[in-house]
Short mmCIF file of all heavy atoms in Angstrom, two decimals:
data_model
loop_
_atom_site.label_atom_id
_atom_site.label_comp_id
_atom_site.label_asym_id
_atom_site.label_seq_id
_atom_site.Cartn_x
_atom_site.Cartn_y
_atom_site.Cartn_z
N MET A 1 3.12 30.50 -52.26
CA MET A 1 2.41 29.22 -51.93
C MET A 1 3.40 28.19 -51.44
O MET A 1 3.09 27.46 -50.52
CB MET A 1 1.69 28.74 -53.20
CG MET A 1 0.67 27.65 -52.95
SD MET A 1 -0.70 28.26 -51.88
CE MET A 1 -1.42 26.69 -51.42
N LYS A 2 4.56 28.17 -52.01
CA LYS A 2 5.56 27.17 -51.63
C LYS A 2 6.00 27.40 -50.18
O LYS A 2 6.15 26.47 -49.41
CB LYS A 2 6.78 27.38 -52.55
CG LYS A 2 7.78 26.18 -52.53
CD LYS A 2 8.87 26.46 -53.51
CE LYS A 2 10.06 25.53 -53.31
NZ LYS A 2 11.18 25.89 -54.18
N TYR A 3 6.15 28.67 -49.79
CA TYR A 3 6.57 29.02 -48.42
C TYR A 3 5.50 28.61 -47.43
O TYR A 3 5.80 28.25 -46.30
CB TYR A 3 6.88 30.52 -48.33
CG TYR A 3 8.12 30.89 -49.07
CD1 TYR A 3 8.08 31.63 -50.25
CD2 TYR A 3 9.39 30.52 -48.56
CE1 TYR A 3 9.26 31.97 -50.92
CE2 TYR A 3 10.54 30.85 -49.24
CZ TYR A 3 10.50 31.57 -50.42
OH TYR A 3 11.60 31.90 -51.08
N LEU A 4 4.25 28.74 -47.86
CA LEU A 4 3.14 28.39 -46.98
C LEU A 4 3.19 26.90 -46.65
O LEU A 4 2.97 26.53 -45.46
CB LEU A 4 1.82 28.74 -47.69
CG LEU A 4 0.59 28.78 -46.77
CD1 LEU A 4 0.59 30.01 -45.88
CD2 LEU A 4 -0.70 28.78 -47.59
N VAL A 5 3.54 26.08 -47.61
CA VAL A 5 3.62 24.64 -47.38
C VAL A 5 4.78 24.32 -46.41
O VAL A 5 4.64 23.56 -45.47
CB VAL A 5 3.80 23.87 -48.73
CG1 VAL A 5 4.09 22.40 -48.46
CG2 VAL A 5 2.53 24.02 -49.58
N VAL A 6 5.91 24.99 -46.66
CA VAL A 6 7.10 24.81 -45.77
C VAL A 6 6.75 25.25 -44.34
O VAL A 6 7.09 24.56 -43.40
CB VAL A 6 8.30 25.59 -46.37
CG1 VAL A 6 9.46 25.60 -45.36
CG2 VAL A 6 8.74 25.01 -47.68
N LEU A 7 6.08 26.37 -44.26
CA LEU A 7 5.68 26.90 -42.95
C LEU A 7 4.75 25.91 -42.21
O LEU A 7 4.86 25.67 -41.01
CB LEU A 7 4.98 28.24 -43.12
CG LEU A 7 4.68 29.02 -41.82
CD1 LEU A 7 5.97 29.59 -41.22
CD2 LEU A 7 3.69 30.14 -42.09
N LEU A 8 3.84 25.35 -42.99
CA LEU A 8 2.86 24.40 -42.43
C LEU A 8 3.60 23.16 -41.90
O LEU A 8 3.31 22.67 -40.80
CB LEU A 8 1.86 24.01 -43.54
CG LEU A 8 0.51 23.43 -43.02
CD1 LEU A 8 -0.31 24.55 -42.42
CD2 LEU A 8 -0.23 22.78 -44.16
N ILE A 9 4.54 22.64 -42.71
CA ILE A 9 5.32 21.47 -42.30
C ILE A 9 6.12 21.78 -41.02
O ILE A 9 6.14 21.01 -40.07
CB ILE A 9 6.23 20.99 -43.42
CG1 ILE A 9 5.38 20.39 -44.56
CG2 ILE A 9 7.25 19.96 -42.93
CD1 ILE A 9 6.13 20.25 -45.90
N ALA A 10 6.71 22.98 -41.00
CA ALA A 10 7.52 23.40 -39.85
C ALA A 10 6.65 23.47 -38.60
O ALA A 10 7.04 23.06 -37.53
CB ALA A 10 8.14 24.75 -40.15
N LEU A 11 5.41 23.96 -38.78
CA LEU A 11 4.51 24.10 -37.63
C LEU A 11 4.12 22.70 -37.10
O LEU A 11 4.06 22.49 -35.92
CB LEU A 11 3.24 24.83 -38.10
CG LEU A 11 3.33 26.37 -38.05
CD1 LEU A 11 2.13 27.01 -38.74
CD2 LEU A 11 3.40 26.87 -36.61
N VAL A 12 3.88 21.78 -38.04
CA VAL A 12 3.49 20.43 -37.65
C VAL A 12 4.64 19.75 -36.89
O VAL A 12 4.43 19.11 -35.84
CB VAL A 12 3.08 19.57 -38.89
CG1 VAL A 12 2.98 18.11 -38.52
CG2 VAL A 12 1.76 20.08 -39.45
N VAL A 13 5.84 19.93 -37.40
CA VAL A 13 7.06 19.35 -36.74
C VAL A 13 7.21 19.93 -35.36
O VAL A 13 7.42 19.22 -34.36
CB VAL A 13 8.33 19.59 -37.61
CG1 VAL A 13 9.58 19.24 -36.83
CG2 VAL A 13 8.22 18.75 -38.88
N LEU A 14 7.09 21.27 -35.26
CA LEU A 14 7.20 21.94 -33.93
C LEU A 14 6.13 21.46 -32.95
O LEU A 14 6.40 21.21 -31.78
CB LEU A 14 7.08 23.46 -34.13
CG LEU A 14 8.40 24.19 -34.48
CD1 LEU A 14 8.10 25.59 -34.94
CD2 LEU A 14 9.35 24.22 -33.32
N TRP A 15 4.92 21.29 -33.48
CA TRP A 15 3.82 20.85 -32.63
C TRP A 15 4.05 19.45 -32.11
O TRP A 15 3.80 19.12 -30.94
CB TRP A 15 2.49 20.89 -33.45
CG TRP A 15 1.33 20.34 -32.71
CD1 TRP A 15 0.63 20.97 -31.71
CD2 TRP A 15 0.72 19.06 -32.91
NE1 TRP A 15 -0.36 20.13 -31.27
CE2 TRP A 15 -0.34 18.98 -32.00
CE3 TRP A 15 0.97 18.00 -33.79
CZ2 TRP A 15 -1.14 17.83 -31.91
CZ3 TRP A 15 0.17 16.87 -33.72
CH2 TRP A 15 -0.87 16.80 -32.78
N ARG A 16 4.62 18.61 -32.98
CA ARG A 16 4.90 17.24 -32.56
C ARG A 16 6.00 17.22 -31.48
O ARG A 16 5.88 16.45 -30.51
CB ARG A 16 5.36 16.40 -33.77
CG ARG A 16 4.18 15.99 -34.63
CD ARG A 16 4.62 14.90 -35.59
NE ARG A 16 3.46 14.35 -36.31
CZ ARG A 16 3.52 13.25 -37.06
NH1 ARG A 16 4.65 12.61 -37.20
NH2 ARG A 16 2.45 12.79 -37.66
N ILE A 17 7.01 18.01 -31.65
CA ILE A 17 8.09 18.04 -30.66
C ILE A 17 7.55 18.54 -29.33
O ILE A 17 7.86 17.99 -28.24
CB ILE A 17 9.27 18.97 -31.18
CG1 ILE A 17 9.96 18.27 -32.37
CG2 ILE A 17 10.22 19.29 -30.06
CD1 ILE A 17 10.84 19.22 -33.16
N ARG A 18 6.72 19.62 -29.39
CA ARG A 18 6.17 20.19 -28.15
C ARG A 18 5.24 19.17 -27.44
O ARG A 18 5.34 19.03 -26.24
CB ARG A 18 5.36 21.45 -28.48
CG ARG A 18 6.26 22.68 -28.60
CD ARG A 18 5.45 23.93 -28.78
NE ARG A 18 4.64 24.20 -27.60
CZ ARG A 18 3.80 25.27 -27.47
NH1 ARG A 18 3.67 26.09 -28.51
NH2 ARG A 18 3.13 25.47 -26.40
N SER A 19 4.41 18.48 -28.22
CA SER A 19 3.49 17.53 -27.58
C SER A 19 4.25 16.35 -26.96
O SER A 19 3.85 15.77 -25.94
CB SER A 19 2.45 17.03 -28.57
OG SER A 19 3.09 16.37 -29.62
N LYS A 20 5.38 15.97 -27.57
CA LYS A 20 6.19 14.90 -27.03
C LYS A 20 6.86 15.32 -25.75
O LYS A 20 6.95 14.56 -24.78
CB LYS A 20 7.25 14.49 -28.05
CG LYS A 20 6.83 13.32 -28.92
CD LYS A 20 8.03 12.80 -29.72
CE LYS A 20 7.64 11.67 -30.62
NZ LYS A 20 8.79 11.21 -31.43
N ALA A 21 7.35 16.57 -25.75
CA ALA A 21 8.05 17.09 -24.59
C ALA A 21 7.09 17.29 -23.42
O ALA A 21 7.48 17.10 -22.26
CB ALA A 21 8.71 18.41 -24.94
N GLN A 22 5.83 17.61 -23.71
CA GLN A 22 4.87 17.87 -22.64
C GLN A 22 4.37 16.58 -22.01
O GLN A 22 4.00 16.55 -20.85
CB GLN A 22 3.68 18.66 -23.22
CG GLN A 22 3.97 20.15 -23.27
CD GLN A 22 2.87 20.92 -23.96
OE1 GLN A 22 1.88 20.33 -24.42
NE2 GLN A 22 3.03 22.20 -24.06
N ALA A 23 4.36 15.51 -22.79
CA ALA A 23 3.85 14.25 -22.27
C ALA A 23 4.79 13.71 -21.19
O ALA A 23 5.96 13.50 -21.44
CB ALA A 23 3.71 13.20 -23.40
N PRO A 24 4.25 13.52 -19.98
CA PRO A 24 5.16 13.01 -18.92
C PRO A 24 5.51 11.56 -19.16
O PRO A 24 4.69 10.78 -19.65
CB PRO A 24 4.28 13.13 -17.66
CG PRO A 24 2.87 13.14 -18.14
CD PRO A 24 2.87 13.70 -19.55
N GLU A 25 6.72 11.22 -18.82
CA GLU A 25 7.20 9.88 -19.05
C GLU A 25 6.57 8.93 -18.01
O GLU A 25 7.00 8.92 -16.85
CB GLU A 25 8.73 9.83 -18.97
CG GLU A 25 9.38 10.26 -20.29
CD GLU A 25 10.87 10.05 -20.26
OE1 GLU A 25 11.33 8.96 -19.83
OE2 GLU A 25 11.60 10.95 -20.68
N ALA A 26 5.54 8.25 -18.43
CA ALA A 26 4.86 7.36 -17.54
C ALA A 26 5.71 6.10 -17.35
O ALA A 26 6.23 5.59 -18.30
CB ALA A 26 3.50 6.99 -18.10
N PRO A 27 5.80 5.64 -16.10
CA PRO A 27 6.60 4.41 -15.88
C PRO A 27 5.87 3.21 -16.50
O PRO A 27 4.66 3.21 -16.59
CB PRO A 27 6.65 4.29 -14.35
CG PRO A 27 5.52 5.11 -13.85
CD PRO A 27 5.28 6.19 -14.87
N PRO A 28 6.64 2.22 -16.92
CA PRO A 28 6.00 1.06 -17.53
C PRO A 28 5.02 0.38 -16.56
O PRO A 28 5.23 0.45 -15.33
CB PRO A 28 7.20 0.12 -17.83
CG PRO A 28 8.38 0.97 -17.82
CD PRO A 28 8.08 2.11 -16.90
N ILE A 29 4.00 -0.21 -17.09
CA ILE A 29 2.95 -0.83 -16.28
C ILE A 29 3.55 -1.92 -15.37
O ILE A 29 3.18 -2.03 -14.23
CB ILE A 29 1.83 -1.41 -17.20
CG1 ILE A 29 1.15 -0.25 -17.89
CG2 ILE A 29 0.83 -2.24 -16.37
CD1 ILE A 29 0.33 -0.66 -19.13
N GLN A 30 4.54 -2.66 -15.90
CA GLN A 30 5.13 -3.75 -15.13
C GLN A 30 5.81 -3.18 -13.87
O GLN A 30 5.71 -3.77 -12.79
CB GLN A 30 6.15 -4.46 -15.99
CG GLN A 30 6.44 -5.87 -15.53
CD GLN A 30 7.43 -6.61 -16.42
OE1 GLN A 30 7.82 -6.09 -17.46
NE2 GLN A 30 7.80 -7.79 -16.04
N GLU A 31 6.48 -2.03 -14.03
CA GLU A 31 7.18 -1.43 -12.91
C GLU A 31 6.18 -0.96 -11.83
O GLU A 31 6.41 -1.10 -10.66
CB GLU A 31 7.97 -0.23 -13.40
CG GLU A 31 9.18 0.10 -12.55
CD GLU A 31 10.03 1.19 -13.17
OE1 GLU A 31 10.60 0.95 -14.24
OE2 GLU A 31 10.08 2.28 -12.59
N ARG A 32 5.04 -0.45 -12.29
CA ARG A 32 4.02 0.02 -11.36
C ARG A 32 3.45 -1.14 -10.55
O ARG A 32 3.24 -1.02 -9.36
CB ARG A 32 2.84 0.67 -12.14
CG ARG A 32 3.10 2.09 -12.49
CD ARG A 32 1.81 2.68 -13.00
NE ARG A 32 2.02 3.91 -13.79
CZ ARG A 32 1.07 4.51 -14.49
NH1 ARG A 32 -0.11 3.97 -14.55
NH2 ARG A 32 1.32 5.58 -15.17
N ALA A 33 3.26 -2.28 -11.21
CA ALA A 33 2.71 -3.44 -10.52
C ALA A 33 3.62 -3.93 -9.44
O ALA A 33 3.20 -4.35 -8.39
CB ALA A 33 2.40 -4.55 -11.53
N GLU A 34 4.93 -3.86 -9.71
CA GLU A 34 5.92 -4.34 -8.73
C GLU A 34 6.00 -3.37 -7.51
O GLU A 34 6.25 -3.80 -6.42
CB GLU A 34 7.29 -4.42 -9.39
CG GLU A 34 7.45 -5.68 -10.21
CD GLU A 34 8.72 -5.68 -11.04
OE1 GLU A 34 9.57 -4.80 -10.83
OE2 GLU A 34 8.85 -6.58 -11.89
N ALA A 35 5.73 -2.09 -7.77
CA ALA A 35 5.78 -1.12 -6.69
C ALA A 35 4.49 -1.09 -5.87
O ALA A 35 4.41 -0.41 -4.87
CB ALA A 35 6.03 0.26 -7.28
N GLY A 36 3.50 -1.82 -6.32
CA GLY A 36 2.20 -1.83 -5.64
C GLY A 36 2.26 -2.48 -4.27
O GLY A 36 3.29 -3.08 -3.92
N PRO A 37 1.20 -2.33 -3.50
CA PRO A 37 1.24 -2.88 -2.14
C PRO A 37 1.30 -4.41 -2.17
O PRO A 37 0.64 -5.07 -2.95
CB PRO A 37 -0.09 -2.43 -1.54
CG PRO A 37 -0.99 -2.12 -2.71
CD PRO A 37 -0.07 -1.72 -3.85
N LYS A 38 2.11 -4.92 -1.27
CA LYS A 38 2.26 -6.38 -1.16
C LYS A 38 1.05 -6.91 -0.37
O LYS A 38 0.48 -6.22 0.46
CB LYS A 38 3.54 -6.70 -0.41
CG LYS A 38 4.80 -6.47 -1.22
CD LYS A 38 6.02 -6.76 -0.34
CE LYS A 38 7.31 -6.35 -1.04
NZ LYS A 38 8.47 -6.55 -0.15
N THR A 39 0.76 -8.16 -0.60
CA THR A 39 -0.34 -8.76 0.17
C THR A 39 0.24 -9.14 1.55
O THR A 39 1.15 -9.92 1.68
CB THR A 39 -0.86 -10.04 -0.52
OG1 THR A 39 0.25 -10.84 -0.91
CG2 THR A 39 -1.67 -9.70 -1.76
N VAL A 40 -0.29 -8.45 2.54
CA VAL A 40 0.16 -8.60 3.92
C VAL A 40 -0.79 -9.56 4.64
O VAL A 40 -2.00 -9.43 4.56
CB VAL A 40 0.24 -7.25 4.64
CG1 VAL A 40 0.74 -7.45 6.07
CG2 VAL A 40 1.14 -6.30 3.91
N GLU A 41 -0.17 -10.50 5.37
CA GLU A 41 -1.00 -11.43 6.10
C GLU A 41 -1.58 -10.76 7.35
O GLU A 41 -0.84 -10.21 8.15
CB GLU A 41 -0.12 -12.63 6.53
CG GLU A 41 -0.89 -13.92 6.73
CD GLU A 41 0.02 -15.05 7.15
OE1 GLU A 41 1.18 -15.03 6.83
OE2 GLU A 41 -0.52 -15.97 7.82
N MET A 42 -2.90 -10.72 7.44
CA MET A 42 -3.55 -10.03 8.55
C MET A 42 -4.06 -11.04 9.59
O MET A 42 -4.62 -12.09 9.24
CB MET A 42 -4.71 -9.18 8.03
CG MET A 42 -4.33 -8.15 6.97
SD MET A 42 -3.33 -6.80 7.68
CE MET A 42 -4.63 -5.73 8.30
N HIS A 43 -3.87 -10.66 10.85
CA HIS A 43 -4.36 -11.49 11.92
C HIS A 43 -5.12 -10.66 12.94
O HIS A 43 -4.83 -9.50 13.08
CB HIS A 43 -3.18 -12.23 12.60
CG HIS A 43 -2.69 -13.39 11.80
ND1 HIS A 43 -3.07 -14.67 12.05
CD2 HIS A 43 -1.85 -13.43 10.77
CE1 HIS A 43 -2.49 -15.48 11.19
NE2 HIS A 43 -1.73 -14.73 10.38
N ALA A 44 -6.04 -11.26 13.61
CA ALA A 44 -6.85 -10.58 14.64
C ALA A 44 -6.12 -10.66 15.98
O ALA A 44 -5.59 -11.70 16.36
CB ALA A 44 -8.22 -11.16 14.71
N CYS A 45 -6.20 -9.56 16.73
CA CYS A 45 -5.65 -9.54 18.09
C CYS A 45 -6.51 -10.48 18.97
O CYS A 45 -7.74 -10.44 18.93
CB CYS A 45 -5.72 -8.11 18.64
SG CYS A 45 -5.36 -7.96 20.37
N THR A 46 -5.85 -11.30 19.74
CA THR A 46 -6.57 -12.26 20.59
C THR A 46 -7.41 -11.53 21.65
O THR A 46 -8.45 -12.01 22.04
CB THR A 46 -5.56 -13.21 21.28
OG1 THR A 46 -4.73 -13.77 20.27
CG2 THR A 46 -6.22 -14.33 22.03
N HIS A 47 -6.96 -10.35 22.07
CA HIS A 47 -7.68 -9.62 23.13
C HIS A 47 -8.82 -8.78 22.59
O HIS A 47 -9.95 -8.86 23.07
CB HIS A 47 -6.67 -8.75 23.86
CG HIS A 47 -7.30 -8.01 25.03
ND1 HIS A 47 -7.76 -8.72 26.16
CD2 HIS A 47 -7.55 -6.72 25.24
CE1 HIS A 47 -8.24 -7.81 27.01
NE2 HIS A 47 -8.14 -6.59 26.47
N CYS A 48 -8.58 -7.92 21.56
CA CYS A 48 -9.59 -7.01 21.08
C CYS A 48 -10.13 -7.33 19.70
O CYS A 48 -11.10 -6.75 19.27
CB CYS A 48 -9.07 -5.56 21.13
SG CYS A 48 -7.81 -5.25 19.91
N GLY A 49 -9.50 -8.22 18.97
CA GLY A 49 -9.95 -8.64 17.66
C GLY A 49 -9.53 -7.71 16.54
O GLY A 49 -9.99 -7.89 15.42
N LEU A 50 -8.69 -6.76 16.84
CA LEU A 50 -8.22 -5.81 15.80
C LEU A 50 -7.34 -6.56 14.81
O LEU A 50 -6.44 -7.30 15.20
CB LEU A 50 -7.42 -4.66 16.47
CG LEU A 50 -6.83 -3.64 15.50
CD1 LEU A 50 -7.87 -2.61 15.14
CD2 LEU A 50 -5.65 -2.95 16.18
N HIS A 51 -7.64 -6.35 13.54
CA HIS A 51 -6.85 -6.97 12.47
C HIS A 51 -5.64 -6.10 12.15
O HIS A 51 -5.81 -4.90 11.95
CB HIS A 51 -7.68 -7.23 11.23
CG HIS A 51 -8.52 -8.44 11.36
ND1 HIS A 51 -9.71 -8.43 12.15
CD2 HIS A 51 -8.40 -9.69 10.90
CE1 HIS A 51 -10.23 -9.65 12.10
NE2 HIS A 51 -9.46 -10.44 11.34
N MET A 52 -4.47 -6.68 12.09
CA MET A 52 -3.27 -5.94 11.74
C MET A 52 -2.22 -6.89 11.12
O MET A 52 -2.37 -8.11 11.21
CB MET A 52 -2.69 -5.22 12.94
CG MET A 52 -2.28 -6.10 14.09
SD MET A 52 -1.77 -5.11 15.51
CE MET A 52 -0.40 -4.23 14.84
N PRO A 53 -1.22 -6.34 10.45
CA PRO A 53 -0.22 -7.18 9.81
C PRO A 53 0.47 -8.13 10.83
O PRO A 53 0.79 -7.74 11.92
CB PRO A 53 0.79 -6.18 9.25
CG PRO A 53 0.04 -4.94 9.06
CD PRO A 53 -0.99 -4.91 10.17
N PHE A 54 0.60 -9.34 10.38
CA PHE A 54 1.16 -10.41 11.19
C PHE A 54 2.54 -10.02 11.77
O PHE A 54 2.85 -10.29 12.94
CB PHE A 54 1.28 -11.65 10.33
CG PHE A 54 1.64 -12.90 11.07
CD1 PHE A 54 0.74 -13.54 11.89
CD2 PHE A 54 2.93 -13.45 10.94
CE1 PHE A 54 1.09 -14.70 12.56
CE2 PHE A 54 3.26 -14.61 11.62
CZ PHE A 54 2.38 -15.25 12.42
N SER A 55 3.36 -9.36 10.95
CA SER A 55 4.71 -8.99 11.37
C SER A 55 4.76 -7.93 12.46
O SER A 55 5.72 -7.80 13.18
CB SER A 55 5.51 -8.55 10.13
OG SER A 55 4.87 -7.44 9.55
N ASP A 56 3.66 -7.14 12.57
CA ASP A 56 3.63 -6.05 13.56
C ASP A 56 3.02 -6.50 14.90
O ASP A 56 2.89 -5.71 15.82
CB ASP A 56 2.80 -4.86 13.02
CG ASP A 56 3.51 -4.16 11.89
OD1 ASP A 56 4.70 -4.44 11.67
OD2 ASP A 56 2.84 -3.38 11.20
N MET A 57 2.63 -7.75 14.96
CA MET A 57 1.92 -8.22 16.17
C MET A 57 2.86 -8.66 17.25
O MET A 57 4.04 -9.04 16.99
CB MET A 57 0.94 -9.33 15.80
CG MET A 57 -0.14 -8.87 14.86
SD MET A 57 -1.40 -10.08 14.58
CE MET A 57 -2.56 -9.63 15.88
N VAL A 58 2.34 -8.66 18.49
CA VAL A 58 3.14 -9.10 19.64
C VAL A 58 2.70 -10.53 19.97
O VAL A 58 1.52 -10.78 20.12
CB VAL A 58 2.86 -8.16 20.86
CG1 VAL A 58 3.66 -8.64 22.07
CG2 VAL A 58 3.24 -6.73 20.50
N THR A 59 3.64 -11.41 20.04
CA THR A 59 3.34 -12.80 20.32
C THR A 59 3.32 -13.06 21.81
O THR A 59 4.25 -12.70 22.53
CB THR A 59 4.35 -13.72 19.64
OG1 THR A 59 4.46 -13.34 18.29
CG2 THR A 59 3.89 -15.18 19.70
N GLY A 60 2.25 -13.70 22.28
CA GLY A 60 2.17 -14.09 23.69
C GLY A 60 2.04 -15.59 23.80
O GLY A 60 2.06 -16.32 22.77
N THR A 61 1.88 -16.04 25.01
CA THR A 61 1.76 -17.49 25.19
C THR A 61 0.37 -18.01 24.79
O THR A 61 0.23 -19.16 24.46
CB THR A 61 2.04 -17.85 26.68
OG1 THR A 61 1.20 -17.02 27.49
CG2 THR A 61 3.49 -17.64 27.05
N ARG A 62 -0.64 -17.15 24.82
CA ARG A 62 -2.02 -17.57 24.48
C ARG A 62 -2.43 -17.13 23.10
O ARG A 62 -3.56 -17.39 22.64
CB ARG A 62 -3.00 -17.00 25.51
CG ARG A 62 -2.83 -17.64 26.86
CD ARG A 62 -3.86 -17.07 27.81
NE ARG A 62 -3.44 -17.23 29.21
CZ ARG A 62 -4.06 -16.63 30.22
NH1 ARG A 62 -5.12 -15.88 30.02
NH2 ARG A 62 -3.61 -16.80 31.45
N GLY A 63 -1.59 -16.36 22.41
CA GLY A 63 -1.98 -15.92 21.06
C GLY A 63 -1.16 -14.73 20.62
O GLY A 63 -0.08 -14.46 21.17
N ARG A 64 -1.70 -14.02 19.66
CA ARG A 64 -1.01 -12.85 19.13
C ARG A 64 -1.85 -11.61 19.42
O ARG A 64 -3.08 -11.65 19.35
CB ARG A 64 -0.80 -12.99 17.63
CG ARG A 64 0.26 -14.02 17.33
CD ARG A 64 0.52 -14.14 15.83
NE ARG A 64 1.48 -15.20 15.58
CZ ARG A 64 2.81 -15.00 15.60
NH1 ARG A 64 3.27 -13.83 15.90
NH2 ARG A 64 3.62 -16.01 15.35
N TYR A 65 -1.18 -10.49 19.71
CA TYR A 65 -1.88 -9.29 20.15
C TYR A 65 -1.44 -8.08 19.32
O TYR A 65 -0.31 -8.05 18.79
CB TYR A 65 -1.64 -9.05 21.63
CG TYR A 65 -1.99 -10.27 22.46
CD1 TYR A 65 -1.02 -11.23 22.77
CD2 TYR A 65 -3.30 -10.47 22.89
CE1 TYR A 65 -1.36 -12.34 23.51
CE2 TYR A 65 -3.63 -11.58 23.62
CZ TYR A 65 -2.69 -12.53 23.92
OH TYR A 65 -3.00 -13.64 24.65
N CYS A 66 -2.32 -7.05 19.33
CA CYS A 66 -2.02 -5.83 18.55
C CYS A 66 -0.94 -5.00 19.23
O CYS A 66 -0.27 -4.21 18.63
CB CYS A 66 -3.30 -5.03 18.37
SG CYS A 66 -4.02 -4.42 19.88
N SER A 67 -0.80 -5.17 20.55
CA SER A 67 0.16 -4.40 21.32
C SER A 67 0.60 -5.18 22.54
O SER A 67 -0.08 -6.10 22.97
CB SER A 67 -0.42 -3.04 21.72
OG SER A 67 -1.53 -3.26 22.59
N ALA A 68 1.72 -4.75 23.14
CA ALA A 68 2.20 -5.37 24.36
C ALA A 68 1.20 -5.17 25.50
O ALA A 68 1.07 -6.00 26.38
CB ALA A 68 3.56 -4.77 24.72
N GLY A 69 0.49 -4.04 25.45
CA GLY A 69 -0.52 -3.76 26.48
C GLY A 69 -1.64 -4.78 26.45
O GLY A 69 -2.09 -5.25 27.50
N HIS A 70 -2.10 -5.13 25.30
CA HIS A 70 -3.18 -6.14 25.19
C HIS A 70 -2.68 -7.52 25.56
O HIS A 70 -3.42 -8.32 26.09
CB HIS A 70 -3.77 -6.09 23.78
CG HIS A 70 -4.79 -5.03 23.62
ND1 HIS A 70 -5.56 -4.88 22.49
CD2 HIS A 70 -5.19 -4.06 24.51
CE1 HIS A 70 -6.37 -3.80 22.69
NE2 HIS A 70 -6.16 -3.32 23.89
N ARG A 71 -1.41 -7.78 25.27
CA ARG A 71 -0.85 -9.05 25.69
C ARG A 71 -0.86 -9.14 27.22
O ARG A 71 -1.23 -10.15 27.79
CB ARG A 71 0.57 -9.21 25.13
CG ARG A 71 1.19 -10.55 25.50
CD ARG A 71 2.57 -10.70 24.97
NE ARG A 71 3.47 -9.69 25.55
CZ ARG A 71 4.76 -9.57 25.23
NH1 ARG A 71 5.29 -10.34 24.32
NH2 ARG A 71 5.50 -8.68 25.82
N ALA A 72 -0.44 -8.05 27.85
CA ALA A 72 -0.39 -7.99 29.29
C ALA A 72 -1.80 -8.14 29.88
O ALA A 72 -2.00 -8.87 30.88
CB ALA A 72 0.22 -6.70 29.75
N LEU A 73 -2.80 -7.47 29.28
CA LEU A 73 -4.18 -7.55 29.76
C LEU A 73 -4.76 -8.95 29.65
O LEU A 73 -5.47 -9.41 30.49
CB LEU A 73 -5.05 -6.57 28.96
CG LEU A 73 -5.02 -5.09 29.39
CD1 LEU A 73 -5.69 -4.22 28.34
CD2 LEU A 73 -5.69 -4.91 30.75
N ALA A 74 -4.38 -9.63 28.55
CA ALA A 74 -4.97 -10.92 28.28
C ALA A 74 -4.27 -12.04 29.05
O ALA A 74 -4.89 -13.08 29.36
CB ALA A 74 -4.89 -11.22 26.80
N GLU A 75 -2.99 -11.84 29.39
CA GLU A 75 -2.25 -12.96 29.94
C GLU A 75 -1.92 -12.78 31.42
O GLU A 75 -1.22 -13.60 32.01
CB GLU A 75 -0.98 -13.17 29.10
CG GLU A 75 -1.33 -13.51 27.69
CD GLU A 75 -0.14 -14.01 26.89
OE1 GLU A 75 1.00 -14.02 27.41
OE2 GLU A 75 -0.34 -14.38 25.73
N HIS A 76 -2.39 -11.67 32.05
CA HIS A 76 -2.10 -11.52 33.47
C HIS A 76 -3.39 -11.36 34.29
O HIS A 76 -4.38 -11.02 33.75
CB HIS A 76 -1.19 -10.29 33.65
CG HIS A 76 0.18 -10.50 33.14
ND1 HIS A 76 1.14 -11.23 33.79
CD2 HIS A 76 0.76 -10.12 31.96
CE1 HIS A 76 2.24 -11.30 33.04
NE2 HIS A 76 2.01 -10.62 31.94
ZN1 ZN B 1 -5.68 -5.69 20.82
#
């Protein structure tokens, strides 16, 4: 009976070690929030109205465009 108790304790300890090892190390919630998408300022193309990030747009004399082609179409 004594060995049965020892065996039971050993099994519980082993189970706990195994379950800890199997659990993937999840990154902290704070770290996930920082890695999330940034709020990008979106603007519409003056020629076609397509919304895209402000930094990716082509600046023309009459406005901002989604591409150099649309700038050329709108300003020439
Ligand atoms: Zn456009």
Side-chain angles (χ1 to χ4, degrees):
M1 193 63 195
K2 196 178 167 185
Y3 289 109
L4 196 72
V5 172
V6 172
L7 188 74
L8 202 73
I9 290 163
L11 275 170
V12 168
V13 169
L14 274 168
W15 174 76
R16 281 195 172 190
I17 290 165
R18 277 186 66 181
S19 61
K20 265 191 182 178
Q22 278 174 358
E25 278 187 45
I29 293 161
Q30 202 177 355
E31 206 173 295
R32 276 191 200 171
E34 281 171 8
K38 288 176 187 175
T39 48
V40 180
E41 207 180 334
M42 300 292 275
H43 282 263
C45 170
T46 307
H47 184 68
C48 70
L50 178 82
H51 281 77
M52 62 185 298
F54 189 74
S55 57
D56 291 347
M57 297 188 91
V58 179
T59 309
T61 51
R62 291 181 203 170
R64 288 182 184 275
Y65 306 92
C66 65
S67 62
H70 277 184
R71 182 181 63 182
L73 278 168
E75 298 192 357
H76 290 281

